[in-house]
Amino acid sequence: MTKGFTLSSAIAGSCLALASTAVSAEELRGWNIHVEDYPVSIAMESFATEVAERTGGELTAKTFHNGVLGSQPDAIEQLRLGVIDFGEFSLGPFGTSVPEANVVSLPFIFPSIPAMYEMMDGEVGEAISEGMRARGVEPLGWYDAGARSFYNSVRPINTPADVEGLKIRVMSNDLFVQMVESMDGNATPMAFAEVYQSIQTGVVDGAENNPPSYESTSHYEVASFYSLTEHLIIPECLCMSKITFDGLTEEQQTILKEAGANSATLQRELWQAREAASMEIVEAGGTVVNTIADKGPFQDAMAPVYDGFLEANPDLADLVNLIRNGG
Ligand code: BDP
C-alpha cells in the first residue's frame, strides 16, 4: 500500500515535470526537400541554432530534410494549417495558393539574380509577403535558387523549336505547363522525388532546374544535355505557419525574424559557391552543357504565359510591371 502510494506519487511527480517542460519549451517542426549538405539545409540548421541559442532553449527548430515530411504542394497546405511549423519552399508551387507569389514564376521576369535580391528585399518582397500572410504564411527570409534551365536525355536545346515534342517534368503550377506548351513541348507536373526514375524509365525526357538541384538529385546521370536557358529565376522562402507564429511571444517572433534574415544572408553566400561546384561536378560527370547566346526567341515564345496570367489576375498587373521596370 505504502509502496504503491510511493510509486504513484513518483509517477505523478514525473508527469508534472514533463508537463512543465512541455509548457516552457516548444519544438518547431520544419520541412525541407533537400539533402543535408545543400545550401538551403545548412542555412536552416544555422537558423535553428540561432533560435535555440537566443531563446535559451525555450524554442527549438528541428528540420526534417530530404522531403521526409511529404511532397512540396502537400507541405505547403500543412504549413498553412499549422501541422508543419516552418519550412523552406520554392515560390513556384506556392503560386497556386498565393497569387502574388505567382508573379515570380513568370518566365524571364527578373533581369538578373542581383536584381532579384534587391527587389525581394524591397517593395516587391513586401507585396509578396502580404499575400502570403493573408493566406496563413509568415515569411522570415528570401533564399536564392539561382536560375532554372532545361535538361533532357534526347538533345541539346538551342532554340524553342528544340523543345517541340519533348516530355518535360515541371513543378506543380499551371504557369509551368503553359510555359512548356508555349514551345510545343509536353509538360508533366510531378513531385521532385519522382523525377530521377521518371527520366530513367523514359516517362519523361527531362526537366528543368538550377545547377545545385540538377546535381544533388543526380538527374545529370540520366539527362545529360543541360541547356542554359535560365528561363526562371524563382526565389525561395524560409517561412512559418502563421498559426504557429501568432501563438508566440513578441520577443520570440523578433528572434525568429532576425534569425530568418541572417540565415538568408548565409544561404545566398553558400548558394554562389555551390552553383559553381555543381557545374564542375556535372561537367566532370559527362554532362553536355550549352549556353544560349540569344534568349530573345525563348522570351518571345513564352510571352503568352504573361497574357494568360494577366487576364486571370488583372489586379497583379502593377506588381508585374514593378518587377519588369526594375522594382
Ligand atoms: C528546386 C527547389 C525545390 C523544388 C525543386 C523542384 O529548391 O523547392 O521542389 O526545385 O523542381 O530547385 O521540384
Side-chain angles (χ1 to χ4, degrees), residues 31-34 38 40 72-73 88-93 144-145 148 151 169-172 190-193 195 207-214 217 219 234 236 271:
W31 179 92
N32 174 29
I33 206 161
H34 294 291
Y38 204 77
V40 163
Q72 184 145 205
E88 199 278 347
F89 300 92
S90 165
L91 292 187
D144 190 0
R148 297 174 75 100
Y151 50 85
R169 174 270 175 177
V170 291
M171 287 191 283
S172 158
M190 182 187 288
F192 193 42
V195 182
E208 44 89 56
N209 222 315
N210 50 52
S213 279
Y214 176 53
T217 52
H219 291 176
I234 308 180
E236 306 203 345
W271 183 262

Side-chain angles (χ1 to χ4, degrees), residues 137-156:
V137 178
E138 184 70 46
L140 301 176
W142 302 119
Y143 284 18
D144 190 0
R148 297 174 75 100
S149 294
F150 291 103
Y151 50 85
N152 75 90
S153 59
V154 182
R155 56 175 173 256

